[in-house]
C-alpha cells in the first residue's frame, strides 16, 4: 500500500494537495461539481489537523494566452468555499515571490487555491514537461505533498510527479478509494466476470480489451466499438463509425476467432441516416443500408445481453451503448444501466463518458463503484500502475522520512 495521508505526520504542517478540479465550467458556472466534492474528505482531514493547505489543480486545455480566460480556477474556489463552509483564498499567480509571501502568512486551517497549473504551459510547457524549476518551486511552498487527483496520475507533470522528488509524499482519500476499488474488483474479480465495452473508437479501447479478455468470461460489445468488429466479419455497417485501419481489422478478426465463446455482438440496432437528420429506424444487424448509421443497440441485443448480466458476479462497463447524448439513441444505454442497477453482481463503471451517462440517467447511487479516473482508470487497468502513483513511496518504507 502506498503512503496514506492518515499515516503521515501532517499536524500543523504546510500541506500541498494536488486535486482534480478539471470540472466543466460555462461562463463561470460549474456544471458538475462531483470532482470538487471528491476532494472534501482530504481537505476536511487537513483542516482538522490544523494544516496550512495549498491546493494545486489543472483545468481544461491551456495552449494559448486566450485559453486562460475560460480556464481560470477562480469559480472553483467559490464553489469549494460553499461546499466546505470555510474560507478559501485564491491566488491568481502560481509561480512568483508573491505566492511565497502569501503562503508565509497563511494561518493554520486556512486554504489557498492557486490558479490553473497549466497556465505555466504557455509558452514553454513548463507544467506538462515536468520542469525541474517549477517542480522545486511548487515544493518550496509546503512541507508535505498529497496526491488526491487519481485522474491526473497518468501524467508526469510538475504538479503530479516533479514535486514528489522534493517532498515527503502520500495519497489522499479519493486516490486511496480508487486504487482499492480497482484492485479489489478488477484485478481479482469474482467469476463469472463480464466486460461490457461500448463507446466510440476501437483504437482507444483495443489495449483494454486485450488486457481484460483473458480474465473475463463474457465480453459484450456495443457502440462504435462493435461496428468495427462487425466490419471485420464483413457485415455491411453502412456509414457507421468504424476503424479503417486494416491491421486493426485483422486483429479484431483474430480476437473473434480465438475468443468466439466469450464474445457477444449486437443482433439489432437503431440507425440514423447520412441524408436526413430526422431519420431513425429499427434494423436487424444484417439489414443495414449503405447510407444508414448504427447509433444504438436494439431490443434483441439487450435481451441477449441481459442473460449474461444476470449470471455474472462481477461486471465492468466502459463506453456507452450508443449515442446516448441524443434521446433517440439513448435507450440502449439507459436500459443496459437499468439491468446493471438491478443485477446482483459487483458493478464497476469506468471512463469519462460512461460515468457521465450513469449520472445523466440518475444511477450513480445504485452501482457498486464509479471510477472517475477517465483515461487514468483505463491506463491503470491496462498497465497495472500509474506514473503519478509510482513516485509515491510504499507505506512500509517511509518512517525514516517523517520521524
Ligand atoms: P468513455 O469516455 O467512458 O471511455 P467513450 O468516449 O469511448 O467512453 O464512449 C462514449 C462516446 O461514444 C459517446 O460520446 C457516444 O456518443 C459515443 N458513441 C457510442 N456509440 C456510438 C456509435 N454507435 N456511433 C458513434 N458514436 C458512438
Ligand atoms: Mg470518452
Amino acid at each position: 500500500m502506498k503512503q496514506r495521508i492518515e499515516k503521515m505526520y501532517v499536524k500543523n504542517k504546510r500541506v500541498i494537495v494536488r486535486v482534480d478540479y478539471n470540472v466543466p465550467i460555462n461562463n463561470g458556472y460549474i456544471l458538475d461539481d462531483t470532482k470538487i466534492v471528491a476532494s472534501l474528505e482530504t481537505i476536511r482531514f487537513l483542516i482538522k489537523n490544523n494544516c496550512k493547505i495549498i491546493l494545486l489543480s489543472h483545468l481544461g486545455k491551456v495552449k494559448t494566452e486566450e485559453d486562460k480566460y475560460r480556464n481560470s480556477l477562480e469559480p472553483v474556489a467559490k464553489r469549494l468555499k460553499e461546499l466546505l463552509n470555510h474560507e478559501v483564498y485564491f491566488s491568481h499567480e502560481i509561480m512568483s515571490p508573491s505566492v511565497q509571501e502569501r503562503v508565509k502568512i497563511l494561518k493554520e486551517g486556512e486554504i489557498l487555491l492557486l490558479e490553473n497549473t497549466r497556465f505555466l504551459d504557455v509558452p514553454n510547457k513548463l507544467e506538462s514537461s515536468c520542469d525541474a524549476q517549477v517542480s522545486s518551486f511548487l515544493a518550496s511552498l509546503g512541507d508535505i505533498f498529497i496526491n488526491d487527483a487519481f485522474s491526473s496520475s497518468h501524467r508526469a507533470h510538475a504538479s503530479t510527479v516533479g514535486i514528489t522528488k522534493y517532498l515527503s509524499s502520500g495519497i489522499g482519500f479519493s486516490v486511496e478509494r480508487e486504487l482499492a476499488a480497482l484492485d479489489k474488483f478488477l484485478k481479482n474479480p469474482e467469476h463469472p466476470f463480464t466486460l461490457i465495452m461500448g463507446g466510440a473508437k476501437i483504437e482507444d479501447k483495443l489495449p483494454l480489451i486485450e488486457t481484460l479478455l483473458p480474465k473475463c468470461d463474457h465480453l459484450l460489445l456495443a457502440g462504435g466499438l462493435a461496428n468495427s468488429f462487425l466490419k471485420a466479419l464483413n457485415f455491411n455497417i453502412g456509414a457507421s463509425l468504424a476503424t479503417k485501419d486494416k491491421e486493426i481489422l485483422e486483429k479484431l478478426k483474430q480476437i473473434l476467432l480465438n475468443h468466439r465463446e466469450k464474445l457477444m455482438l449486437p443482433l439489432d440496432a437503431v440507425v440514423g441516416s447520412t441524408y436526413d437528420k430526422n431519420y431513425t429506424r429499427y434494423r436487424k444487424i444484417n439489414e443495414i443500408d449503405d447510407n444508414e448509421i448504427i447509433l444504438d443497440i436494439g431490443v434483441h441485443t439487450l435481451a441477449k445481453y441481459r442473460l449474461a448480466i444476470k449470471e455474472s458476479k462481477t461486471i465492468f462497463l466502459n463506453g456507452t451503448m450508443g449515442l446516448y447524448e441524443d434521446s433517440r439513441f439513448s435507450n440502449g444505454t439507459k436500459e443496459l444501466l437499468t439491468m446493471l442497477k438491478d443485477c446482483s453482481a459487483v458493478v464497476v463503471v469506468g471512463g469519462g463518458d460512461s460515468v457521465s451517462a450513469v449520472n445523466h440517467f440518475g444511477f450513480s447511487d445504485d452501482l457498486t463503484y464509479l471510477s472517475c479516473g477517465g483515461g487514468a482508470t483505463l491506463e491503470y487497468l491496462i498497465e497495472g500502475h500509474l506514473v503519478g502513483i509510482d513516485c509515491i513511496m510504499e507505506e512500509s518504507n517511509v518512517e525514516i522520512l517523517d520521524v
Side-chain angles (χ1 to χ4, degrees), residues 14 34 44 61 74 76 80 82 95 145 154 157 179:
R14 295 175 304 159
T34 311
R44 286 196 178 117
K61 292 197 167 86
E74 200 166 8
V76 173
L80 180 61
E82 287 165 11
M95 201 177 155
F145 173 72
H154 57 324
H157 290 179
L179 291 172

Side-chain angles (χ1 to χ4, degrees), residues 95-107:
M95 201 177 155
S96 72
S98 72
V99 176
Q100 282 168 319
E101 289 308 311
R102 183 67 194 83
V103 170
K104 252 188 214 156
I105 58 167
L106 205 61
K107 297 199 185 77

